[in-house]
Amino acid sequence: MKGLQTEALTIRFGGLTAVDGVDFSLTPGEIVGIIGPNGAGKTTLINLLAGIYAPTSGRVVFDGEDITAVPAHRRAALGIGRTFQLIHPLEDLTLVENVMTGFLFAGRRSLRAAREAAAALCRDLGLGGLNRSTGELNILETKKMEIAKALAVEPSVLFLDEVMAGLNSTETLDVIRMVREIAAHRNLGIGVVEHVMGVIKELTERVVVLDGGRLIAAGPYSEVSQDPRVVSAYLGGSV
Amino acid sequence: MSSIEQRPRRRAPWVFAALAALLAFLPLVAGPYPQTIARSVLTYMMLAISWDMLIRSGQLSFGIAGFFGLGGYAAAIGATYLGVPPVLTLVFAAVVVGVVALLIGAVVLRLRGMYFAIVTLALAEIFRIVMHNWSSLTGGPNGMLLPRSAFDGNSVATYLMMLVLAAVVIGVSEWFRHSRIHFALTAIRDNETVAASAGVNIYAYLLTAFAITSGIQGAVGASYAQLFGFVTPESSFNVNYTLIPLAMTLLGGMYGTWGPVVGAVLLGVVGEYLKLFIPYGHLLVYGVIIVLVILFMPRGIVGLVRGHLERSRRTTTASEKGGAA
């Protein structure tokens, strides 16, 4: 089966169960929202899928193969891309060099081929001034660079961890359009973590809701947003 | 792809080549004393470059003297027991020390930051203690005499040998700077999670860098053994071989080949003249320089010059743009 699935994925940090028995799937071509209040385990889930953390129990399956024990750098090469909630430019590299790294290492391309591929990708995303240092980029350009870095591993599944955070409404619309185009042209499965519900509503066909590490609801946004458990997770109080 | 997006063509290799050619003629114009200084500057320069090559990945090593001393002993042992010809002991030591570093690195490169730094410092001390006490092999505290030294100690020939070795080290450092290794090490230094997510095999790259830089330190240690014709635990593992290259790199600037080169020439020559006036006073001056550089010039001389060039380039392009508008 194509795409990424998890089975009863769990990770404990000491006494805290950050992700608790989550069954999640993402197949190429779909955009799935991952929502939940702060501390629900959304970023931890992405870190488990990307191989940054090893789960306490459960499995991660990618394109039908168990990759639970596969390290992060090999998962990138397999085609799992992700952005970071707190933006992490490689500040000693220029814009184009940041984007090159994925093509160089996950894609095993030569320096010249990687530079050309990175330049073409930046052009596609509307990024110019390729030899600028990352400190010279504005917030929208930085976000686009983060997306470009994730796309540079040539993923079949891509996780966007709050890429819209800090953008104004015009910029948000710009990025939403970009994500749509990426999904349409590259046949990617995209997992979107976002706190702005308008973005989730706009972009996703279905959402999963995490609360306290557990998956408490799944389905189209219009249904899930009416679910009393979801409302209670966000607003507090008993059901 | 448009040419604007390409990086400017590099002049550095040609400048290096011209300098090396010029330096090859030094023995024709300079006497034995300047040649001695030149050999010492080259020794520290190579150690400084190798230390810089590893710090480009963010890993701070205090083990230079350890691998340097080990290289000296590898040369002496190889020459004495295996009959390795003098000049080839440099290669022999590089391989032996590189393999030792590979085995040790496989374990200690799981550590980061302060923990890694302290372990490298401890390693240097362990190597010294082993050589000090393994009397049957190493002669213990008395050290070892080399059966024959390179070119029978001919000062011009050994000077040229050092120059060739330095050219090789500079070449390896430039290869690090301009190959995929540069991107891997820089990404690791900036953020390991981001590096791994881009597909960088962090462990493999760190291990490679550690083995190669230690191998260089081993070869330099062997060349030192060839220059002096002997090794002892106290002289070969002297902590100065860690501290002086470190000071030179800080002064010249980290993360490139030029920084350590500039720092080694400056501190090496200045230190040599200071020795004439105040014995051991040069070490005091080194200390003061390190403190001043860290406080006021954290990117070193090369970083300072680069910054000025960048700024003047930027103001020119900005004024050109302003003129066009």
Side-chain angles (χ1 to χ4, degrees):
Chain A
M1 189 179 169
K2 276 287 194 189
L4 195 62
Q5 291 88 38
T6 71
E7 291 165 17
L9 200 61
T10 302
I11 186 166
R12 285 190 204 94
F13 298 109
L16 175 81
T17 308
V19 168
D20 192 355
V22 168
D23 295 313
F24 171 80
S25 74
L26 182 61
T27 46
E30 66 169 347
I31 305 182
V32 176
I34 303 168
I35 63 173
N38 287 325
K42 305 181 294 290
T43 298
T44 309
L45 177 64
I46 292 179
N47 280 330
L48 283 166
L49 298 175
I52 304 300
Y53 298 147
T56 312
S57 64
R59 298 204 312 149
V60 182
V61 177
F62 183 66
D63 287 350
E65 288 198 33
D66 189 324
I67 58 161
T68 315
V70 172
H73 68 272
R74 281 191 37 221
R75 292 196 199 187
L78 285 174
I80 299 174
R82 57 89 53 99
T83 67
F84 293 86
Q85 184 180 5
L86 301 170
I87 49 172
H88 287 308
L90 301 169
E91 46 199 37
D92 292 305
L93 297 176
T94 64
L95 167 58
V96 70
E97 288 173 340
N98 262 270
V99 180
M100 271 172 76
T101 49
F103 287 115
L104 266 179
F105 298 103
R108 310 256 0 122
R109 297 191 193 202
S110 71
L111 280 180
R112 177 186 291 272
R115 187 178 287 277
E116 280 169 10
L121 177 57
C122 286
R123 250 199 320 273
D124 281 354
L125 301 186
L127 277 169
L130 299 186
N131 292 324
R132 280 180 295 168
S133 78
T134 56
E136 295 173 67
L137 308 180
N138 64 36
I139 178 79
L140 180 61
E141 289 173 319
T142 308
K143 298 284 186 173
K144 284 185 174 180
M145 178 185 73
E146 290 295 304
I147 295 174
K149 275 161 66 181
L151 285 174
V153 308
E154 297 168 278
S156 57
V157 296
L158 171 67
F159 293 93
L160 302 175
D161 197 351
E162 293 196 31
V163 280
M164 322 279 178
L167 298 180
N168 67 33
S169 51
T170 324
E171 292 165 338
T172 304
L173 285 176
D174 190 7
V175 175
I176 287 178
R177 203 177 312 121
M178 207 170 97
V179 172
R180 278 230 184 88
E181 265 169 38
I182 291 166
H185 289 114
R186 294 169 192 260
N187 191 37
L188 293 180
I190 303 181
V192 183
V193 170
E194 205 58 60
H195 277 295
V196 186
M197 287 307 138
V199 172
I200 295 290
K201 200 170 145 189
E202 221 13 62
L203 267 179
T204 64
E205 291 124 48
R206 65 182 176 96
V207 300
V208 296
V209 187
L210 291 174
D211 184 34
R214 288 172 196 277
L215 205 155
I216 59 166
Y221 177 76
S222 53
E223 282 172 26
V224 162
S225 60
Q226 306 300 318
D227 190 318
R229 283 170 303 178
V230 175
V231 175
S232 131
Y234 270 92
L235 301 178
S238 57
V239 184
Chain B
M1 199 168 120
S2 70
S3 59
I4 305 160
E5 311 288 21
Q6 290 280 8
R7 291 175 136 265
R9 188 164 286 281
R10 305 203 154 262
R11 288 182 304 263
W14 297 106
V15 180
F16 271 127
L19 268 178
L22 211 61
L23 283 171
F25 291 105
L26 182 79
L28 293 180
V29 291
Y33 178 56
Q35 281 180 46
T36 307
I37 297 177
R39 275 194 296 263
S40 144
V41 167
L42 288 172
T43 301
Y44 286 121
M45 182 189 291
M46 291 186 272
L47 296 178
I49 292 171
S50 70
W51 181 78
D52 183 78
M53 284 162 68
L54 189 64
I55 198 89
R56 291 175 206 168
S57 73
Q59 312 311 311
L60 171 62
S61 164
F62 286 128
I64 309 173
F67 294 112
F68 173 87
L70 203 61
Y73 269 91
I77 290 167
T80 307
Y81 297 101
L82 306 172
V84 179
V87 179
L88 284 186
T89 59
L90 274 58
V91 181
F92 179 76
V95 172
V96 169
V97 174
V99 170
V100 169
L102 205 60
L103 297 175
I104 292 171
V107 182
V108 304
L109 281 169
R110 296 170 196 282
L111 302 172
R112 288 293 182 276
M114 200 205 304
Y115 302 98
F116 175 78
I118 290 173
V119 165
T120 55
L121 188 62
L123 277 175
E125 190 59 11
I126 291 169
F127 292 153
R128 187 187 66 78
I129 292 170
V130 169
M131 294 306 146
H132 191 276
N133 289 292
W134 196 347
S135 301
S136 59
L137 184 74
T138 65
N142 296 325
M144 297 174 79
L145 274 174
L146 269 68
R148 250 179 72 208
S149 54
F151 308 109
D152 296 319
N154 179 300
S155 77
V156 175
T158 50
Y159 167 74
L160 291 176
M161 175 184 83
M162 299 297 285
L163 204 58
V164 169
L165 186 61
V168 171
V169 171
I170 285 171
V172 175
S173 170
E174 283 295 289
W175 170 59
F176 264 48
R177 281 284 296 148
H178 299 294
S179 65
R180 58 202 301 126
I181 296 175
H182 164 67
F183 292 90
L185 298 189
T186 308
I188 293 168
R189 178 174 90 231
D190 280 350
N191 190 311
E192 289 196 19
T193 309
V194 175
S197 298
V200 177
N201 187 344
I202 294 171
Y203 188 59
Y205 273 99
L206 288 184
L207 201 52
T208 307
F210 189 61
I212 291 176
T213 56
S214 302
I216 290 173
Q217 288 153 17
V220 179
S223 75
Y224 168 90
Q226 291 297 343
L227 291 186
F228 291 86
F230 68 92
V231 289
T232 69
E234 305 313 320
S235 63
S236 300
F237 293 97
N238 194 308
V239 71
N240 280 338
Y241 293 113
T242 293
L243 296 181
I244 293 175
L246 212 144
M248 288 168 166
T249 310
L250 289 178
L251 174 66
M254 292 191 289
Y255 312 141
T257 310
W258 281 111
V261 169
V262 169
V265 171
L266 273 178
L267 270 197
V269 173
V270 169
E272 202 59 42
Y273 278 98
L274 279 171
K275 263 187 214 169
L276 300 178
F277 304 113
I278 21 171
Y280 293 101
H282 63 293
L283 294 177
L284 198 72
V285 175
Y286 284 2
V288 173
I289 287 176
I290 293 180
V291 172
L292 291 178
V293 165
I294 289 172
L295 283 178
F296 300 110
M297 212 169 60
R299 304 203 57 196
I301 292 172
V302 169
L304 204 68
V305 173
R306 279 237 168 90
H308 274 294
L309 290 177
E310 289 272 294
R311 237 165 291 143
S312 63
R313 182 183 60 86
R314 213 167 288 162
T315 34
T316 349
T317 35
S319 61
E320 274 168 11
K321 271 184 194 156

